[in-house]
């Protein structure tokens, strides 16, 4: 029986809420896995404006929707509607996965799992290191949390277009995690050069370089990078951003956002279904769709 013929009164609904709902590979990732594992679930996109967020979560209970992924702009605001929030999601201050357990809503942050698994092979290099995080939005929060909690870095530079936002992130982590070795800088590639050069790890958490703006990069100076660095771009579309390309040209170890994307999805999938997703075959599936 094909996927559509399977849909009946026992089908469990999961999905993604955001506004606007941008092109996302999540429906494909989850629906393919439901199908390959013979699970009677369906994953749908829900475009919910901020004014309707509370109502839509009430409807989640009424309609018996099993779970949601949460994307822009709801990741932070949604916390107030949760009955329970995991330690990670609460410290990060953002929820990207909701599980409906008997009409009780549980909030998790599986982005953190994706970040930790992407950086795990470099753990020894990162302990006590100086790192630079570009961006100060929701994604940067997850990165800061993991760098402090899981990789025990000693110093974090935040580079962001709007300095007030990095200042507030700095204050937030000082308060929540008692980490006070954070310095903030305005995004100015030439002025940021020494910061980049002196960092063991540089992470781009902004959308600069995301398809279709593939000629953009948070820095276009190749001399920002060197061969002893690890350079991580959270973007997975394209797989090789200009930022990654520049870093690679200088011999840096590079990591794109594909693993993070797949691992966060696999962890959400596990929270909803109790089943594991095959990460390697899904990575291949999604990378074949990308360039
Ligand atoms: P996310 O949850 O994906 O992190 P977000 O909270 O909207 O999304 O944060 C986006 C980040 O990308 C911010 O750091 C933003 O910079 P500002 O704080 O100055 O808004 C950064 N960003 C987005 N577009 C950018 C651009 N064109 N140039 C520089 N930074 C940009």
């Amino acid at each position: 029986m094909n996927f559509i013929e399977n849909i009946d009164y026992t089908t469990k609904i999961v999905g993604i809420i955001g506004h606007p709902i941008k092109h996302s590979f999540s429906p494909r990732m989850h629906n393919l896995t439901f199908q390959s594992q013979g699970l009677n679930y369906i994953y749908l996109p829900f475009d919910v404006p901020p004014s309707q967020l509370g109502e839509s979560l009430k409807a989640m209970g009424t309609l018996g929707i099993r779970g949601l992924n949460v994307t822009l702009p709801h990741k932070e605001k949604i916390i107030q509607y949760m009955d329970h929030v995991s330690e990670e999601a609460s410290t990060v201050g953002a929820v990207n996965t909701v599980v409906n357990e008997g009409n009780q809503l549980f909030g998790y942050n599986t982005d953190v799992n994706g970040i930790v698994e992407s950086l795990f092979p470099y753990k020894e290099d990162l302990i006590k290191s100086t790192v630079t995080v570009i961006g100060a939005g929701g994604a940067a929060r997850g990165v800061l949390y993991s760098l402090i909690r899981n990789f025990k870095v000693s110093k974090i530079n935040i580079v962001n277009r709007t300095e007030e936002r990095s200042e507030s992130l700095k204050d937030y982590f000082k308060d929540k995690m008692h980490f006070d070795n954070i310095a903030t800088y305005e995004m100015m590639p030439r002025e940021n050069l020494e910061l980049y050069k002196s960092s063991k790890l540089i992470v781009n958490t902004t959308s600069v370089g995301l398809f279709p703006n593939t000629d953009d990069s948070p820095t276009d100076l190749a001399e920002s990078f060197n061969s002893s660095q690890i350079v991580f771009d959270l973007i997975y579309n394209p797989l090789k951003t200009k930022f990654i390309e520049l870093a690679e040209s200088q011999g840096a170890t590079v990591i794109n956002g594909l693993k993070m994307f797949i691992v966060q999805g696999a962890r959400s999938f596990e929270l909803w279904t109790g089943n594991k997703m095959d990460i390697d075959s899904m990575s291949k599936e999604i990378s074949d769709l990308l360039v």
Side-chain angles (χ1 to χ4, degrees), residues 1 3-13 39-42 62-66:
M1 213 167 26
F3 192 53
I4 297 295
E5 285 166 357
N6 250 341
I7 294 173
D8 63 9
Y9 64 94
T10 66
T11 302
K12 292 198 170 67
I13 299 167
L39 294 172
N40 196 359
Y41 279 70
I42 189 162
T62 321
L63 299 174
I65 292 173
R66 168 65 178 155

Side-chain angles (χ1 to χ4, degrees), residues 97-256:
T97 304
V98 181
V99 183
N100 177 0
E101 205 75 74
N103 216 2
Q104 293 274 299
L105 301 185
F106 289 72
Y108 299 89
N109 189 309
T110 71
D111 286 335
V112 168
N113 300 85
I115 294 160
V116 172
E117 286 212 26
S118 298
L119 291 176
F120 186 74
Y122 313 101
K123 186 162 184 172
E124 294 306 317
D125 296 321
L126 295 179
I127 292 171
K128 296 205 171 74
S129 67
T130 295
V131 302
T132 296
V133 176
I134 307 171
R141 278 170 182 265
V143 169
L144 258 70
Y145 171 90
S146 314
L147 291 174
I148 298 168
R149 171 66 47 88
N150 304 92
F151 298 98
K152 316 269 183 250
V153 301
S154 67
K155 172 148 201 230
I156 302 175
N157 303 309
I158 306 177
V159 170
N160 197 46
R161 179 177 58 182
T162 315
E163 223 178 330
E164 301 87 74
R165 239 178 139 189
S166 26
E167 280 294 321
S168 91
L169 215 58
K170 170 179 157 173
D171 294 343
Y172 182 87
F173 281 95
K174 186 174 178 182
D175 188 38
K176 281 266 181 183
M177 298 185 84
H178 312 293
F179 187 88
D180 49 18
N181 206 0
I182 299 183
T184 62
Y185 302 87
E186 203 180 317
M187 191 191 278
M188 294 188 287
R190 181 73 48 199
E191 284 73 7
N192 301 145
L193 206 50
E194 288 310 313
L195 287 182
Y196 292 141
K197 281 184 173 172
S198 62
S199 298
K200 183 71 205 168
L201 168 75
I202 307 173
V203 189
N204 175 36
T205 73
T206 73
S207 49
V208 180
L210 181 67
F211 182 84
N213 304 113
T214 52
D215 287 335
D216 296 346
S217 171
T219 171
D220 49 13
L221 302 173
E223 60 267 41
S224 308
F225 307 107
N226 60 63
S227 60
S228 61
Q229 285 171 335
I230 302 154
V231 176
F232 181 17
D233 196 332
L234 266 47
I235 293 173
Y236 64 90
N237 186 12
L239 290 170
K240 195 177 279 193
T241 56
K242 185 167 177 202
F243 182 72
I244 289 283
E245 208 168 85
L246 284 172
E248 211 171 28
S249 76
Q250 302 306 301
T253 301
V254 297
I255 312 168
N256 66 29

Side-chain angles (χ1 to χ4, degrees), residues 12 14 30 33-34 37 39-41 66-67 97-101 108 110 265-278:
K12 292 198 170 67
V14 293
H30 290 284
T33 314
F34 293 145
Q37 297 194 5
L39 294 172
N40 196 359
Y41 279 70
R66 168 65 178 155
T97 304
V98 181
V99 183
N100 177 0
E101 205 75 74
Y108 299 89
T110 71
R267 180 68 191 130
S268 302
F269 182 90
E270 197 177 341
L271 287 165
W272 299 324
T273 66
N275 280 20
K276 300 249 190 240
M277 185 183 281
D278 181 340

Side-chain angles (χ1 to χ4, degrees), residues 40-69:
N40 196 359
Y41 279 70
I42 189 162
Y43 188 104
L44 301 167
F46 298 107
D47 190 335
V48 175
S51 60
Q52 296 300 309
L53 182 62
E55 288 301 317
S56 73
L57 290 162
K58 270 190 216 150
M60 190 181 176
T62 321
L63 299 174
I65 292 173
R66 168 65 178 155
L68 291 174
N69 277 139

